[in-house]
Amino acid sequence: MTRGMTLIWKFNVVLVGIFALGFLVTGYISYAVLQSNAREEILDNARVLMEYALSSRNYTNSQVKPLLETQLKYTFLPQSVPAYAATEQFNDLRKKYSDYSYKEATLNPTNPRDRAADWETDIVNQFRQSLGRLELVGERDTPTGRSLFLPRPIQIKDPACLACHSTPEAAPKTMLDLYGPANGFGWKVNDIIGAQIVSVPVQLPVQRANRTFQVFMVSLTAVFLATMLMLNVMLYSLVIRRVKRLSRIAEEVSLGNLEAGEFVTRTKDEIGVLTEALARMKASLVQAMKMLEE
């Protein structure tokens, strides 16, 4: 009994050690992969929203603004400005998804609501210092939780934009009546005057990744425990029980009890070979004892 339990104990110690190592390695790799996938999902969402804003700008500039050209001579309509239209449409989206945000953060904007905050100013300056850079990715804490932000530079590439932003004298009078002559001027071709910034929450994708990780690790533990139980049953039935019987008979024979039992096997595995060897040894011992008695 003691020998059998000792063998099982040693077997389980080795098995638990192997599992612990595999558990740690698998856990580390799976957690890293899931977190990476969650971040890629967040980033993909941000890029989709950025393209949505760009599509809104293009639609306003190509289809809405031409229809309002006559009216713009008498009244300046912010709705004809692509940046205004994209922001307004995104604000409507935020009625259902309040954690998402879009802003055309500008250092010297015509519309005061587009003025860049301190952290947004830092982003615009990064684009100005790294000309040719088309995108940044970062994270920051917000009142609603951790948020990933995706900025792209706003660069004046079309000279037509300067009709409203070169000097107050060249700007439409209707625009000056609405916003005044103090802001939104002095822009030049190829200047980076701001950044389009999309912000998306990271909480939900990360939570899903964490839940998936927990389910995976719990499932892995359950599979290990079931496997360990089946291996213990198999080890006991195929090895330990048979070895215990052999050791009991061998011990009785060693004490002189030649009627303790027979070494019988019906298998040809290693234990079966050992059983046959013990049977031959017992037969030789019995014959030797008979010869001594004669």
mmCIF file of all heavy atoms in Angstrom, residues 42 99-101 119 138-142 144-149 198-203:
data_model
loop_
_atom_site.group_PDB
_atom_site.id
_atom_site.type_symbol
_atom_site.label_atom_id
_atom_site.label_comp_id
_atom_site.label_asym_id
_atom_site.label_seq_id
_atom_site.Cartn_x
_atom_site.Cartn_y
_atom_site.Cartn_z
ATOM 1 N N ILE A 42 -9.808 47.861 -30.890
ATOM 2 C CA ILE A 42 -10.045 49.260 -30.534
ATOM 3 C C ILE A 42 -9.507 50.183 -31.624
ATOM 4 O O ILE A 42 -10.168 51.151 -32.030
ATOM 5 C CB ILE A 42 -9.381 49.579 -29.181
ATOM 6 C CG1 ILE A 42 -9.994 48.729 -28.072
ATOM 7 C CG2 ILE A 42 -9.519 51.054 -28.835
ATOM 8 C CD1 ILE A 42 -9.192 48.740 -26.785
ATOM 9 N N ASP A 99 -19.133 57.665 -25.007
ATOM 10 C CA ASP A 99 -17.707 57.526 -24.712
ATOM 11 C C ASP A 99 -16.829 57.787 -25.932
ATOM 12 O O ASP A 99 -15.612 57.878 -25.805
ATOM 13 C CB ASP A 99 -17.412 56.117 -24.173
ATOM 14 C CG ASP A 99 -18.043 55.886 -22.802
ATOM 15 O OD1 ASP A 99 -18.352 56.892 -22.144
ATOM 16 O OD2 ASP A 99 -18.226 54.725 -22.408
ATOM 17 N N TYR A 100 -17.452 57.873 -27.103
ATOM 18 C CA TYR A 100 -16.700 58.131 -28.327
ATOM 19 C C TYR A 100 -16.690 59.641 -28.600
ATOM 20 O O TYR A 100 -17.657 60.341 -28.297
ATOM 21 C CB TYR A 100 -17.325 57.405 -29.517
ATOM 22 C CG TYR A 100 -17.252 55.906 -29.426
ATOM 23 C CD1 TYR A 100 -18.110 55.191 -28.582
ATOM 24 C CD2 TYR A 100 -16.339 55.190 -30.177
ATOM 25 C CE1 TYR A 100 -18.044 53.808 -28.485
ATOM 26 C CE2 TYR A 100 -16.264 53.803 -30.091
ATOM 27 C CZ TYR A 100 -17.124 53.122 -29.243
ATOM 28 O OH TYR A 100 -17.059 51.755 -29.153
ATOM 29 N N SER A 101 -15.610 60.119 -29.173
ATOM 30 C CA SER A 101 -15.544 61.548 -29.462
ATOM 31 C C SER A 101 -14.731 61.802 -30.729
ATOM 32 O O SER A 101 -13.886 60.987 -31.123
ATOM 33 C CB SER A 101 -14.936 62.321 -28.289
ATOM 34 O OG SER A 101 -13.560 61.996 -28.132
ATOM 35 N N TRP A 119 -3.528 68.982 -24.241
ATOM 36 C CA TRP A 119 -3.000 67.707 -24.724
ATOM 37 C C TRP A 119 -3.162 67.600 -26.244
ATOM 38 O O TRP A 119 -2.343 66.973 -26.910
ATOM 39 C CB TRP A 119 -3.671 66.533 -24.019
ATOM 40 C CG TRP A 119 -5.124 66.323 -24.358
ATOM 41 C CD1 TRP A 119 -6.198 66.937 -23.805
ATOM 42 C CD2 TRP A 119 -5.638 65.408 -25.347
ATOM 43 N NE1 TRP A 119 -7.363 66.483 -24.370
ATOM 44 C CE2 TRP A 119 -7.055 65.541 -25.310
ATOM 45 C CE3 TRP A 119 -5.059 64.507 -26.235
ATOM 46 C CZ2 TRP A 119 -7.884 64.794 -26.139
ATOM 47 C CZ3 TRP A 119 -5.885 63.767 -27.058
ATOM 48 C CH2 TRP A 119 -7.271 63.907 -27.007
ATOM 49 N N GLY A 138 -2.314 56.751 -29.241
ATOM 50 C CA GLY A 138 -1.974 56.904 -27.831
ATOM 51 C C GLY A 138 -3.160 56.604 -26.942
ATOM 52 O O GLY A 138 -4.271 56.358 -27.414
ATOM 53 N N GLU A 139 -2.913 56.608 -25.637
ATOM 54 C CA GLU A 139 -3.977 56.383 -24.661
ATOM 55 C C GLU A 139 -3.902 57.445 -23.586
ATOM 56 O O GLU A 139 -2.818 57.956 -23.275
ATOM 57 C CB GLU A 139 -3.866 54.984 -24.038
ATOM 58 C CG GLU A 139 -4.143 53.845 -24.997
ATOM 59 C CD GLU A 139 -4.176 52.492 -24.288
ATOM 60 O OE1 GLU A 139 -4.332 52.479 -23.044
ATOM 61 O OE2 GLU A 139 -4.055 51.463 -24.972
ATOM 62 N N ARG A 140 -5.051 57.758 -23.011
ATOM 63 C CA ARG A 140 -5.111 58.734 -21.936
ATOM 64 C C ARG A 140 -6.308 58.425 -21.045
ATOM 65 O O ARG A 140 -7.267 57.770 -21.453
ATOM 66 C CB ARG A 140 -5.216 60.169 -22.481
ATOM 67 C CG ARG A 140 -6.429 60.419 -23.337
ATOM 68 C CD ARG A 140 -6.392 61.807 -23.971
ATOM 69 N NE ARG A 140 -6.527 62.849 -22.978
ATOM 70 C CZ ARG A 140 -7.697 63.397 -22.623
ATOM 71 N NH1 ARG A 140 -8.824 62.991 -23.190
ATOM 72 N NH2 ARG A 140 -7.734 64.369 -21.732
ATOM 73 N N ASP A 141 -6.224 58.894 -19.803
ATOM 74 C CA ASP A 141 -7.334 58.747 -18.869
ATOM 75 C C ASP A 141 -8.327 59.881 -19.068
ATOM 76 O O ASP A 141 -7.946 61.043 -19.223
ATOM 77 C CB ASP A 141 -6.821 58.746 -17.425
ATOM 78 C CG ASP A 141 -6.012 57.498 -17.105
ATOM 79 O OD1 ASP A 141 -6.439 56.414 -17.540
ATOM 80 O OD2 ASP A 141 -4.965 57.606 -16.444
ATOM 81 N N THR A 142 -9.606 59.538 -19.078
ATOM 82 C CA THR A 142 -10.677 60.515 -19.218
ATOM 83 C C THR A 142 -11.654 60.338 -18.060
ATOM 84 O O THR A 142 -11.587 59.334 -17.330
ATOM 85 C CB THR A 142 -11.419 60.330 -20.556
ATOM 86 O OG1 THR A 142 -12.142 59.084 -20.516
ATOM 87 C CG2 THR A 142 -10.441 60.308 -21.722
ATOM 88 N N THR A 144 -14.542 59.302 -18.114
ATOM 89 C CA THR A 144 -15.334 58.085 -18.311
ATOM 90 C C THR A 144 -14.469 56.827 -18.367
ATOM 91 O O THR A 144 -14.998 55.736 -18.569
ATOM 92 C CB THR A 144 -16.148 58.191 -19.610
ATOM 93 O OG1 THR A 144 -15.255 58.405 -20.717
ATOM 94 C CG2 THR A 144 -17.137 59.338 -19.536
ATOM 95 N N GLY A 145 -13.151 56.957 -18.186
ATOM 96 C CA GLY A 145 -12.274 55.791 -18.204
ATOM 97 C C GLY A 145 -11.140 55.948 -19.205
ATOM 98 O O GLY A 145 -10.972 56.991 -19.826
ATOM 99 N N ARG A 146 -10.381 54.875 -19.349
ATOM 100 C CA ARG A 146 -9.254 54.870 -20.267
ATOM 101 C C ARG A 146 -9.740 54.963 -21.710
ATOM 102 O O ARG A 146 -10.729 54.333 -22.087
ATOM 103 C CB ARG A 146 -8.446 53.581 -20.079
ATOM 104 C CG ARG A 146 -7.082 53.582 -20.738
ATOM 105 C CD ARG A 146 -6.099 54.417 -19.973
ATOM 106 N NE ARG A 146 -4.752 54.336 -20.537
ATOM 107 C CZ ARG A 146 -3.776 55.160 -20.218
ATOM 108 N NH1 ARG A 146 -3.988 56.124 -19.321
ATOM 109 N NH2 ARG A 146 -2.584 55.044 -20.752
ATOM 110 N N SER A 147 -9.037 55.769 -22.510
ATOM 111 C CA SER A 147 -9.462 56.002 -23.885
ATOM 112 C C SER A 147 -8.269 55.960 -24.823
ATOM 113 O O SER A 147 -7.178 56.412 -24.477
ATOM 114 C CB SER A 147 -10.164 57.365 -23.991
ATOM 115 O OG SER A 147 -10.548 57.633 -25.323
ATOM 116 N N LEU A 148 -8.462 55.352 -25.997
ATOM 117 C CA LEU A 148 -7.438 55.362 -27.044
ATOM 118 C C LEU A 148 -7.775 56.489 -28.012
ATOM 119 O O LEU A 148 -8.926 56.638 -28.421
ATOM 120 C CB LEU A 148 -7.403 54.028 -27.773
ATOM 121 C CG LEU A 148 -6.382 53.895 -28.914
ATOM 122 C CD1 LEU A 148 -5.778 52.497 -28.934
ATOM 123 C CD2 LEU A 148 -7.028 54.189 -30.281
ATOM 124 N N PHE A 149 -6.759 57.286 -28.354
ATOM 125 C CA PHE A 149 -6.993 58.364 -29.313
ATOM 126 C C PHE A 149 -6.150 58.157 -30.568
ATOM 127 O O PHE A 149 -5.030 57.673 -30.518
ATOM 128 C CB PHE A 149 -6.712 59.743 -28.694
ATOM 129 C CG PHE A 149 -5.305 59.940 -28.182
ATOM 130 C CD1 PHE A 149 -4.301 60.395 -29.020
ATOM 131 C CD2 PHE A 149 -5.003 59.690 -26.854
ATOM 132 C CE1 PHE A 149 -3.012 60.597 -28.548
ATOM 133 C CE2 PHE A 149 -3.713 59.881 -26.375
ATOM 134 C CZ PHE A 149 -2.713 60.336 -27.222
ATOM 135 N N VAL A 198 -9.879 61.218 -33.098
ATOM 136 C CA VAL A 198 -10.946 60.301 -32.705
ATOM 137 C C VAL A 198 -10.530 59.615 -31.410
ATOM 138 O O VAL A 198 -9.394 59.154 -31.280
ATOM 139 C CB VAL A 198 -11.200 59.241 -33.801
ATOM 140 C CG1 VAL A 198 -12.088 58.124 -33.265
ATOM 141 C CG2 VAL A 198 -11.842 59.874 -35.013
ATOM 142 N N SER A 199 -11.451 59.580 -30.444
ATOM 143 C CA SER A 199 -11.183 58.899 -29.169
ATOM 144 C C SER A 199 -12.225 57.813 -28.957
ATOM 145 O O SER A 199 -13.423 58.058 -29.126
ATOM 146 C CB SER A 199 -11.220 59.893 -28.003
ATOM 147 O OG SER A 199 -10.191 60.849 -28.117
ATOM 148 N N VAL A 200 -11.762 56.605 -28.617
ATOM 149 C CA VAL A 200 -12.673 55.486 -28.371
ATOM 150 C C VAL A 200 -12.313 54.844 -27.034
ATOM 151 O O VAL A 200 -11.137 54.786 -26.652
ATOM 152 C CB VAL A 200 -12.598 54.435 -29.496
ATOM 153 C CG1 VAL A 200 -13.043 55.025 -30.822
ATOM 154 C CG2 VAL A 200 -11.198 53.887 -29.628
ATOM 155 N N PRO A 201 -13.310 54.359 -26.289
ATOM 156 C CA PRO A 201 -13.026 53.738 -24.989
ATOM 157 C C PRO A 201 -12.354 52.384 -25.155
ATOM 158 O O PRO A 201 -12.622 51.656 -26.107
ATOM 159 C CB PRO A 201 -14.410 53.594 -24.349
ATOM 160 C CG PRO A 201 -15.349 53.513 -25.514
ATOM 161 C CD PRO A 201 -14.752 54.374 -26.597
ATOM 162 N N VAL A 202 -11.486 52.054 -24.213
ATOM 163 C CA VAL A 202 -10.789 50.766 -24.265
ATOM 164 C C VAL A 202 -11.406 49.748 -23.315
ATOM 165 O O VAL A 202 -11.050 48.571 -23.348
ATOM 166 C CB VAL A 202 -9.289 50.942 -23.920
ATOM 167 C CG1 VAL A 202 -8.646 51.957 -24.850
ATOM 168 C CG2 VAL A 202 -9.102 51.374 -22.473
ATOM 169 N N GLN A 203 -12.332 50.181 -22.490
ATOM 170 C CA GLN A 203 -12.821 49.334 -21.414
ATOM 171 C C GLN A 203 -13.507 48.069 -21.897
ATOM 172 O O GLN A 203 -13.168 46.960 -21.471
ATOM 173 C CB GLN A 203 -13.773 50.129 -20.520
ATOM 174 C CG GLN A 203 -14.294 49.340 -19.310
ATOM 175 C CD GLN A 203 -15.186 50.193 -18.427
ATOM 176 O OE1 GLN A 203 -15.475 51.336 -18.731
ATOM 177 N NE2 GLN A 203 -15.611 49.624 -17.322
#
